[in-house]
């Protein structure tokens, strides 16, 4: 490629000269002969400079690049009326140019090296220079084609794979703007390029949280993936084990995980859960864990019957019955057929013999209900087993006045309330936890999951995957994990009113830790959302690369303006009017913000996010339209359904 050589070429490509330098904002006076939309050079039409295009300013041997942000005209007072030949000569055209970089070492570099001087000449970019400005591939990186310039469809845009996928990515846009399509297009291009490479299969993992079931189709993004189509709508016995998330005991019985599930407070409930887990671990290190736990239950039962606080004793019996009731039905009823409260002694006594009380251990050991405790068996559901340990721990804490019931019970009840639905989506009996099952891409489809589980599962899976990646990365720094969250406002929102502030803070802290520290452990986050204003500003500000589709809401636009420092004024002002499928690419992977029309996908690879055409159905003559494919789900109705027993 040849640079400008002849005086003729320089004369044709010359635009004007610098007349003002105000920091990085430059004013350029356009030559009066260069006010046409196109110029002719060597038999080819060249587009003249206009708002949004680039201009080269020569300062000696330096070549500075600026972007035209606006232009205006004013009266030219430098000539008398008699010197004007045409009406247009009475005005002068001035461009406001913002410096964006320079050409050095035969490539474009972002940033300001130096400022121009007055009267420095300005030129239209040659094709070679234009290509350099839009060359975003860093030395040693591999490129991937993502689309073409919206304003110059012949110019393909390629991005470095390391610059893009080894970074945190934000994809934002109103519904119908092409946001989901762009997400699918990006990752389809990556899997198309690298999907068959052994190193990619071995070292790269991608976890996609799909709230609306848009990527669960067989070929969406790629056919080489594992899909977990979770549901809480079916009955438990209708859900097969392989349809659930494989999380083994070590993944579930974890302080942080249980705290997430129980939405535990940091200072009160979390230390309590820690004590219960320590008791759980101690028990299962014994030679006969079940016998050891039965011994614990008997000791707690004795302490309850010997209690001298009536209110506390009945409270503790309720907790004890919660442990026993599934294994020993009617335990509490049978017990109260045998005992009564002794007001004088402030302790329980047998109904059939008032001569003694339960201060003597032998009297307790002779009770049939006491001996029935030997019938207790551990459930296969490790989560229910842990709940029983939590009840044991609260009995212990209340007996020694270490805790108060009203402070601890909400966490237990929250965990217990989720047990049935969690059993529907998690395989607690899994001996080995392999979420990816030999695949690079895992899709977790939450479309048919209740809202409270919808908020819990992404946090649980993201947290465990991140912890596992930390371990893998320390073993081998070649491994990587990309966590992709579509409709991220569902899990990263400040505005949710369905949960406590402490739970909301905890949830956001987990993802903020991933986005702040994850890069050190080969973990990267991609968030896609219709409402960037709802998402934590900390998370948005930590993103490295942005794909900004059409945004109309003022709060969303303001959120982008406050957190995305890469946008120039022209790009920012174009956000509300971007066409569908077109977005502004800005960030570390692109040296300059560019408006890109994303690559088109074959139908089979597209996400299921199309807007229906109403008239296709309104014009049908059928009186009985097929609606079996429309799934209706009312959470309130589900709650009213007859309670189904868990298969414990």
């Amino acid at each position: 490629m040849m640079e400008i050589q002849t005086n003729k070429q320089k004369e044709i490509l010359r635009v004007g000269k610098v007349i003002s330098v105000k920091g990085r904002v430059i004013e350029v006076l356009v030559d009066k002969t260069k006010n046409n939309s196109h110029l002719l050079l060597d038999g080819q039409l060249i587009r003249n400079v206009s708002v949004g295009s680039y201009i080269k300013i020569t300062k000696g041997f330096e070549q500075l690049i600026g972007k035209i942000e606006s232009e205006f005209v004013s009266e030219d007072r430098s000539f008398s009326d008699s010197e004007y030949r045409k009406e247009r000569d009475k005005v002068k055209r001035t461009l406001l140019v913002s410096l964006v970089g320079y050409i050095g070492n035969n490539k474009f570099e972002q940033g300001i090296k130096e400022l121009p001087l007055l009267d420095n000449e300005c030129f239209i970019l040659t094709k070679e220079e234009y290509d350099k400005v839009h060359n975003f591939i860093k030395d040693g990186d591999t490129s991937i084609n993502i689309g073409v310039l919206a304003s110059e469809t012949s110019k393909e845009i390629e991005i470095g794979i390391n610059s893009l996928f080894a970074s945190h990515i934000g994809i934002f846009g109103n519904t119908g703007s092409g946001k989901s399509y762009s997400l699918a297009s990006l990752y389809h291009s990556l899997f198309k390029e690298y999907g068959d490479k052994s190193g990619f299969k071995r070292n790269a993992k991608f976890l996609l949280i799909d709230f609306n079931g848009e990527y669960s189709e067989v070929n969406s993004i790629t056919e080489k993936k594992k899909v977990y189509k979770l549901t809480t709508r079916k009955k438990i016995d209708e859900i097969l084990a392989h349809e659930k998330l494989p999380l083994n005991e070590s993944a579930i019985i974890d302080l942080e995980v249980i705290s997430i599930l129980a939405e535990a407070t940091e200072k009160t409930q979390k230390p309590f859960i820690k004590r219960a887990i320590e008791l759980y671990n101690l028990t299962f290190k014994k030679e006969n864990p079940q016998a050891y736990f039965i011994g614990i239950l008997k000791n707690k039962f004795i302490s309850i019957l010997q209690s001298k606080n009536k209110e506390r004793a009945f409270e503790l019996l309720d907790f004890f019955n919660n442990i026993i009731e599934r294994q020993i039905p009617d335990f509490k009823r049978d017990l109260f057929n045998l005992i009564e409260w002794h007001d004088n002694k402030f302790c329980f006594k047998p109904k059939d013999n008032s001569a003694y009380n339960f201060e003597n251990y032998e009297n307790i050991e002779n009770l049939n209900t006491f001996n029935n405790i030997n019938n207790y068996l551990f459930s296969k559901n490790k989560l229910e087993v842990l709940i029983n340990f939590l009840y044991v721990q609260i009995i212990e804490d209340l007996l020694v006045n270490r805790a108060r019931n009203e402070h601890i019970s909400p966490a237990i009840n929250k965990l217990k309330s989720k047990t049935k639905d969690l059993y529907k989506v998690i395989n607690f009996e899994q001996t080995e936890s392999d979420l990816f099952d030999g695949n690079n891409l895992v899709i977790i489809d939450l479309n048919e999951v209740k809202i409270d589980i919808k908020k819990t599962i992404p946090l649980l899976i993201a947290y465990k995957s991140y912890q596992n990646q930390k371990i893998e990365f320390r073993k081998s720094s070649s491994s990587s994990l990309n966590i992709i969250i579509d409709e991220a406002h569902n899990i990263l929102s400040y505005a949710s009113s369905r949960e406590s502030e402490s739970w909301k803070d905890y949830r956001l802290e987990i993802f903020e830790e991933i986005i702040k520290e994850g890069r050190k452990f080969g973990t990267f986050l991609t968030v896609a959302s219709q409402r960037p204003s709802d998402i934590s500003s900390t998370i948005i500000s930590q993103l490295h690369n942005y794909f900004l589709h059409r945004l109309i809401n003022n709060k969303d636009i303001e959120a982008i303006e406050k957190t995305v420092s890469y946008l120039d004024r022209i790009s920012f002002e174009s956000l509300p009017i971007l066409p569908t499928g077109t977005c502004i690419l800005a960030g570390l992977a692109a040296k300059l913000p560019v408006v890109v029309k994303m690559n088109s996908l074959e139908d089979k690879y597209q996400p299921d996010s199309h807007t229906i055409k109403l008239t296709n159905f309104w014009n049908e003559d059928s009186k009985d339209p097929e609606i079996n494919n429309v799934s209706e789900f009312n959470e309130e109705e589900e709650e009213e359904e007859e309670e189904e027993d868990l298969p414990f």
Side-chain angles (χ1 to χ4, degrees):
M1 297 294 181
M2 295 180 60
E3 299 292 341
I4 300 175
Q5 296 289 339
T6 66
N7 290 332
K8 177 185 175 183
Q9 289 175 319
K10 291 184 64 175
E11 183 62 30
I12 293 175
L13 294 177
R14 174 189 152 106
V15 173
K17 63 181 180 180
V18 175
I19 60 171
S20 172
V21 180
K22 299 176 182 178
R24 62 190 292 261
V25 178
I26 314 299
E27 289 187 3
V28 175
L29 179 62
V30 179
D31 294 340
K32 295 185 184 298
T33 59
K34 299 299 172 62
N35 285 330
N36 297 318
S37 61
H38 290 79
L39 303 174
L40 188 64
L41 175 63
D42 296 333
Q44 293 183 338
L45 281 177
I46 299 175
R47 183 178 297 174
N48 199 0
V49 291
S50 59
V51 174
S53 62
Y54 298 99
I55 193 172
K56 179 180 69 173
I57 304 171
T58 60
K59 179 184 178 183
F61 294 105
E62 301 295 338
Q63 297 178 329
L64 312 180
I65 305 298
K67 187 172 185 178
I68 302 172
E69 293 196 342
S70 64
E71 63 175 273
F72 61 91
V73 294
S74 58
E75 184 180 357
D76 189 347
R77 300 176 181 273
S78 61
F79 300 103
S80 64
D81 291 342
S82 61
E83 295 177 307
Y84 287 120
R85 294 187 180 90
K86 296 181 180 178
E87 196 66 26
R88 66 182 182 184
D89 292 337
K90 293 183 180 180
V91 297
K92 58 181 180 180
R93 179 185 174 202
T94 305
L95 307 177
L96 287 182
V97 178
S98 178
L99 290 180
V100 294
Y102 60 93
I103 293 178
N105 297 323
N106 204 33
K107 64 180 180 179
F108 174 75
E109 299 288 351
Q110 188 181 20
I112 298 177
K113 182 178 182 181
E114 54 184 286
L115 297 175
L117 300 173
L118 296 181
D119 286 337
N120 282 164
E121 291 184 304
C122 305
F123 297 90
I124 298 171
L125 299 185
T126 63
K127 183 181 183 304
E128 291 80 4
E129 292 164 342
Y130 190 79
D131 289 341
K132 288 176 184 177
V133 169
H134 292 93
N135 180 10
F136 301 144
I137 312 302
K138 296 180 180 179
D139 293 341
D141 205 347
T142 304
S143 66
I144 185 172
N145 185 292
I146 64 169
V148 296
L149 278 181
S151 61
E152 189 68 50
T153 55
S154 62
K155 176 59 183 175
E156 295 183 344
I157 295 299
E158 295 188 343
I159 297 293
I161 288 179
N162 292 307
S163 299
L164 183 60
F165 293 103
S167 74
H168 302 309
I169 303 171
I171 304 175
F172 302 114
N174 290 135
T175 180
S177 64
K179 167 179 54 66
S180 299
Y181 194 95
S182 290
L183 191 155
S185 178
L186 281 178
Y187 283 94
H188 171 72
S189 298
L190 177 65
F191 275 84
K192 184 178 179 181
E193 181 73 22
Y194 277 87
D196 295 326
K197 297 183 184 296
S198 59
F200 182 80
K201 294 177 180 179
R202 184 173 60 253
N203 296 316
K205 293 182 178 179
F206 299 84
L207 173 65
L208 197 160
I209 309 295
D210 182 9
F211 282 94
N212 295 331
E214 297 179 7
Y215 306 92
S216 298
E217 296 299 323
V218 176
N219 294 313
S220 181
I221 298 180
T222 177
E223 63 277 4
K224 300 173 183 177
K225 63 187 177 185
K226 174 76 173 178
V227 177
Y228 293 97
K229 195 172 180 61
L230 307 181
T231 181
T232 54
R233 304 183 188 182
K234 297 180 181 178
K235 293 183 179 180
I236 290 177
D237 56 6
E238 296 176 347
I239 304 173
L240 301 177
H242 72 270
E243 296 176 323
K244 303 179 183 181
L245 294 172
L247 293 175
N248 59 19
E249 181 179 359
S250 63
I252 294 296
I253 310 303
D254 175 271
L255 176 60
E256 296 300 333
V257 171
I258 298 300
S259 297
I260 290 170
L261 295 175
E263 302 180 14
T265 57
E266 187 72 26
K267 294 183 179 180
T268 304
Q269 296 170 348
K270 195 171 180 180
F272 164 78
I273 292 173
K274 181 179 180 182
R275 294 193 293 273
I277 291 177
E278 288 173 349
L279 178 61
Y280 178 98
N281 292 332
L282 175 65
T283 299
F284 281 91
K285 288 179 181 178
K286 300 296 182 180
E287 184 176 347
N288 190 336
Q290 187 161 289
Y292 183 80
F293 188 66
I294 288 173
I296 293 175
L297 292 179
K298 288 182 174 180
N299 288 333
K300 299 308 172 199
F301 184 69
I302 291 171
S303 298
I304 292 170
L305 291 186
Q306 292 179 339
S307 172
K308 293 180 171 57
N309 182 321
K310 181 177 182 180
E311 182 179 346
R312 177 62 55 82
F314 280 95
E315 186 178 60
L316 296 178
L317 272 177
D318 283 336
F319 288 136
F320 193 87
N321 189 59
N322 284 333
I323 302 172
I324 296 296
E325 60 182 347
R326 282 198 178 275
Q327 302 291 342
I328 311 171
D330 301 324
F331 176 87
K332 188 175 178 181
R333 186 195 65 186
D334 293 343
L335 177 65
F336 278 98
N337 286 334
L338 300 174
I339 67 171
E340 63 182 0
W341 185 258
H342 191 351
D343 291 325
N344 295 328
K345 290 290 186 179
F346 297 102
C347 58
F348 288 105
K349 70 169 188 176
K351 278 185 177 180
D352 59 350
N353 188 346
S354 58
Y356 64 88
N357 55 48
F358 291 124
E359 291 178 358
N360 187 327
Y361 286 1
E362 292 181 0
N363 296 330
I364 298 176
E365 292 174 349
N366 288 330
L367 287 172
N368 288 333
T369 49
F370 179 81
N371 293 320
N372 284 341
I373 297 174
N374 290 320
N375 296 327
Y376 175 85
L377 296 172
F378 282 135
S379 165
K380 292 181 180 180
N381 184 341
K382 300 299 183 182
L383 190 57
E384 194 199 48
V385 174
L386 179 65
I387 289 174
N388 287 344
F389 275 85
L390 291 172
Y391 278 126
V392 167
Q393 189 62 52
I394 195 173
I395 291 171
E396 171 65 22
D397 286 2
L398 291 175
L399 285 171
V400 299
N401 292 316
R402 181 186 289 170
R404 298 182 64 178
N405 178 24
E406 59 268 27
H407 293 162
I408 302 300
S409 289
I412 301 177
N413 293 335
K414 192 71 175 180
L415 184 62
K416 192 174 181 180
S417 69
K418 291 180 178 179
T419 301
K420 182 181 75 171
D421 289 324
L422 285 171
Y423 194 85
K424 290 180 178 181
V425 299
I426 296 177
N427 183 4
F428 293 114
E429 301 170 30
Q430 184 82 12
T431 55
E432 294 184 6
S433 179
D434 184 8
L435 183 68
F436 287 85
D437 193 24
N439 295 275
N440 288 100
L441 175 62
V442 163
I443 310 288
I444 299 180
D445 182 350
L446 300 172
N447 188 43
E448 296 185 2
V449 173
K450 289 172 59 177
I451 288 181
D452 59 338
I453 304 298
K454 229 174 204 182
K455 288 182 175 290
T456 303
I457 290 298
L459 181 57
L460 175 62
I461 295 299
Y463 171 77
K464 290 307 299 180
S465 298
Y466 178 49
Q467 297 303 317
N468 291 338
Q469 171 59 22
K470 280 185 175 180
I471 297 171
E472 288 297 320
F473 193 81
R474 291 188 180 105
K475 294 178 181 177
S476 171
S477 57
S478 61
S479 65
S480 67
L481 170 67
N482 287 70
I483 301 174
I484 308 158
I485 309 175
D486 191 31
E487 307 298 344
H489 49 272
N490 287 297
I491 187 67
L492 303 179
S493 173
Y494 273 133
S496 174
S497 59
R498 300 177 64 96
E499 53 197 350
S500 66
E501 289 298 322
S502 59
W503 164 240
K504 218 181 312 186
D505 291 342
Y506 187 80
R507 171 169 49 79
L508 290 173
E509 283 173 6
I510 294 296
F511 282 99
E512 286 176 0
E513 178 189 346
I514 292 175
I515 204 165
K516 288 177 182 177
E517 308 295 334
R519 182 184 56 83
K520 302 175 184 177
F521 304 102
T523 304
F524 307 99
L525 193 64
T526 296
V527 296
S529 175
Q530 303 172 15
R531 298 302 311 273
S533 59
D534 279 354
I535 296 177
S536 161
S537 58
T538 300
I539 290 177
I540 294 183
S541 64
Q542 292 292 323
L543 299 173
H544 301 118
N545 293 294
Y546 300 84
F547 292 81
L548 303 174
H549 289 263
R550 182 174 60 250
L551 290 170
I552 298 175
N553 186 280
N554 286 335
K555 289 186 177 180
D556 295 328
I557 295 174
E558 288 172 5
I560 295 299
E561 183 181 20
K562 291 177 181 178
T563 55
V564 183
S565 60
Y566 308 108
L567 280 186
D568 54 55
R569 186 169 60 85
I570 296 174
S571 299
F572 176 74
E573 291 177 350
S574 67
L575 283 175
I577 57 173
L578 288 172
T580 299
T582 299
C583 65
I584 297 172
L585 167 62
L588 299 180
K591 297 177 181 178
L592 297 168
V594 289
V595 182
V596 179
K597 182 174 178 59
M598 300 297 291
N599 280 336
S600 59
L601 286 173
E602 295 181 42
D603 290 345
K604 64 179 182 179
Y605 295 122
Q606 294 181 14
D608 185 14
S609 60
H610 304 289
T611 303
I612 66 169
K613 294 183 179 180
L614 297 175
T615 53
N616 288 350
F617 305 98
W618 293 353
N619 291 329
E620 288 182 352
D621 295 329
S622 174
K623 295 181 180 180
D624 185 22
E626 183 180 350
I627 58 172
N628 293 333
N629 61 329
V630 179
S631 178
E632 296 181 358
F633 180 53
N634 187 313
E635 289 186 17
E636 294 181 359
E637 291 180 3
E638 184 186 79
E639 294 296 334
E640 295 173 359
E641 291 179 357
E642 183 178 353
E643 186 76 15
E644 53 184 289
D645 290 333
L646 294 174
F648 297 143

